[in-house]
Amino acid sequence: MINLQLKDYSINLAKAGEALSHFLAGNQYAKTAVLVDKNTRQHCLPLLGGALGPDCFIIEIPPGEQHKTLQTCQTVWAEMLRGGLDRHSLLINLGGGVIGDLGGFCAATYMRGIDFVQVPTTLLSMADSSIGGKVGVDFQFVKNIIGVFQNPRAVFIDTTFLNTLPLHETRSGFAEIFKHGLIADASLWGRLQKIQDLRQVEWMQFLPPSLAVKKRIVEEDPHEKGIRKALNFGHTIGHAVESFSLQNDRPLLHGEAVALGIVCESFLSYKMAGLPTESLAAITAFAHRFYPPCLFDKEDFPAIMALMKKDKKNKAGHIHCSLIPAIGQVLVDRECGETQIAESLAYYLGSFA
Ligand SMILES: NC(=O)c1ccc[n+]([C@@H]2O[C@H](COP(=O)([O-])OP(=O)(O)OC[C@H]3O[C@@H](n4cnc5c(N)ncnc54)[C@H](O)[C@@H]3O)[C@@H](O)[C@H]2O)c1
């Protein structure tokens, strides 16, 4: 078992059933409930064995980002009330980033806040969303616009859950792992180069160093005033292309859009921050190894740019990115002009030629 200790909670990498049993035995909760979606109820809940005990009740919501809404929160709050959860109760979030974000938000606001733990079941939620304390939901089609910062009591990571995860979901989570290498751990980036097939990876080799990067950054800057913006590398352009793809019925998963954003923002890093051309070429080739081309063309640039201008990370209407001057180093809050961004999108399109 590996244990990463943060200021007020720990991340346990172990068999989740055993680790949860141990946690529950050490904390006398009045009631416990587990939040799942249809898929995690089917594939992940059975792997917890008897850890949850006979009194734990199940709250199920439909899977998918489209259900990360206040309407779904109302269903969850109603179930929490109906099941008699009081202030001394616990909510266990068993699922991907949607369950973790929504369940964390429901727990953080129910009775002004009850305890919750995160049991992430996707690669993305293991590597990224289950730590850092950002919980919330989408509102009026704007992602993560309603939410709070609230840490869980603990995070239980068990890579056995990944055995049933579809390949495209694994690919989505992988982008956050290689982002962590690019912004802060050149040695992790180097070791990732050996991966050829995402179905054959021993994730325990890569999750602890990847989590260590996120842990270090969120502890230094929990409320994203400074260095936490480093985690947005690839996300300024990635988010805009993700929204564009959703509007145009060619939906990309979050991490697929982030991988594209990483290629574009590496190009901006080459142009504006001194990233060597060989590093840009290596990052581009690595992304192409795992991610198919995302289909858009030059005529779509204005629509993508318009979406980027709505990004909540902008300052006074100017677009800001995190850039990497070298692999393993990062600069935050770099203003990028529209011409440069258009050039980076053109670089991405041209890189498949
Ligand atoms: N809070 C943060 O800091 C943070 C960071 C990054 C992303 N996010 C959020 O995370 C969300 C995306 O998370 P995600 O990629 O985990 O998506 P997700 O939660 O929608 O899960 C993806 C799909 O996989 C299924 N699934 C989950 N575990 C499974 C398993 N073990 N076997 C089979 N199927 C399984 C789910 O039911 C779902 O259909 C987005 O809402 C994003 O905004 C939050």
Side-chain angles (χ1 to χ4, degrees):
M1 159 161 154
I2 298 176
N3 194 288
L4 289 174
Q5 189 61 46
L6 284 87
K7 279 193 193 85
D8 46 8
Y9 64 102
S10 65
I11 306 168
N12 304 273
L13 292 100
K15 288 278 160 248
E18 287 166 29
L20 251 178
S21 287
H22 187 71
F23 174 85
L24 292 172
N27 292 275
Q28 297 300 315
Y29 285 107
K31 285 230 161 166
T32 55
V34 59
L35 180 67
V36 291
D37 65 27
K38 182 169 151 276
N39 299 322
T40 64
R41 184 174 195 157
Q42 181 190 345
H43 298 297
C44 306
L45 196 55
L47 297 182
L48 294 181
L52 300 184
D55 296 332
C56 177
F57 68 96
I58 300 170
I59 305 175
E60 182 181 320
I61 60 172
E65 184 73 27
Q66 69 275 28
H67 298 290
K68 197 174 136 183
T69 59
L70 285 171
Q71 283 89 325
T72 309
C73 290
Q74 289 192 32
T75 311
V76 174
W77 286 318
E79 285 298 300
M80 288 164 87
L81 257 183
R82 201 171 64 87
L85 257 64
D86 64 15
R87 280 191 162 170
H88 310 286
S89 299
L90 175 78
L91 184 67
I92 299 163
N93 296 319
L94 178 68
V98 168
I99 288 282
D101 282 12
L102 183 140
F105 179 68
C106 287
T109 45
Y110 180 77
M111 296 193 177
R112 297 205 176 82
I114 65 164
D115 283 359
F116 65 98
V117 295
Q118 303 291 38
V119 188
T121 61
T122 61
L123 189 61
L124 185 136
S125 55
M126 291 182 192
D128 191 7
S129 64
S130 63
I131 70 164
K134 283 186 183 176
V135 292
V137 294
D138 307 332
F139 182 62
Q140 294 189 348
F141 303 104
V142 185
K143 269 183 67 89
N144 302 327
I145 201 78
I146 305 293
V148 296
F149 283 100
Q150 182 66 56
N151 283 323
R153 280 292 315 281
V155 181
F156 299 103
I157 295 180
D158 181 348
T159 53
T160 317
F161 291 127
L162 299 176
N163 294 341
T164 52
L165 194 67
L167 178 62
H168 60 281
E169 296 292 350
T170 305
R171 194 159 54 210
S172 176
F174 185 57
E176 302 291 353
I177 295 182
F178 83 82
K179 177 199 76 181
H180 288 156
L182 287 173
I183 60 172
D185 187 344
S187 146
L188 168 62
W189 166 255
R191 282 177 282 127
L192 290 170
Q193 302 311 302
K194 292 196 204 99
I195 299 177
Q196 294 296 336
D197 182 347
L198 292 177
R199 285 164 298 199
Q200 314 259 320
V201 179
E202 178 41 74
W203 291 108
M204 277 304 280
Q205 279 180 52
F206 302 112
L207 278 170
S210 174
L211 284 163
V213 169
K214 179 145 187 190
K215 166 187 172 325
R216 185 160 49 75
I217 291 175
V218 299
E219 286 210 301
E220 197 176 323
D221 176 21
H223 295 109
E224 202 166 303
K225 304 282 184 222
I227 190 62
R228 186 165 179 166
K229 294 177 192 166
L231 296 169
N232 295 329
F233 178 58
H235 284 63
T236 304
I237 295 178
H239 267 159
V241 174
E242 184 183 1
S243 304
F244 177 78
S245 77
L246 291 171
Q247 285 176 1
N248 288 280
D249 281 340
R250 291 175 289 191
L252 281 177
L253 292 180
H254 177 73
E256 294 173 323
V258 167
L260 175 157
I262 286 174
V263 172
C264 295
E265 294 180 27
S266 296
F267 176 83
L268 293 173
S269 302
Y270 156 71
K271 281 281 181 178
M272 301 169 59
L275 180 73
T277 178
E278 319 76 75
S279 301
L280 172 63
I283 294 166
T284 307
F286 188 75
H288 288 356
R289 196 188 295 171
F290 303 105
Y291 300 89
C294 162
L295 299 175
F296 60 86
D297 52 37
K298 271 195 155 177
E299 283 74 65
D300 299 322
F301 288 6
I304 295 172
M305 203 72 71
L307 286 162
M308 230 173 289
K309 287 186 182 156
K310 289 189 192 153
D311 195 301
K312 57 183 181 291
K313 298 185 290 295
N314 293 345
K315 276 188 190 163
H318 298 293
I319 298 168
H320 284 72
C321 293
S322 298
L323 300 180
I324 51 168
I327 288 175
Q329 295 172 20
V330 68
L331 302 167
V332 300
D333 264 342
R334 299 292 132 159
E335 189 177 329
C336 298
E338 290 190 30
T339 314
Q340 293 153 322
I341 290 172
E343 246 188 284
S344 78
L345 291 168
Y347 168 77
Y348 171 80
L349 290 179
S351 67
F352 289 97

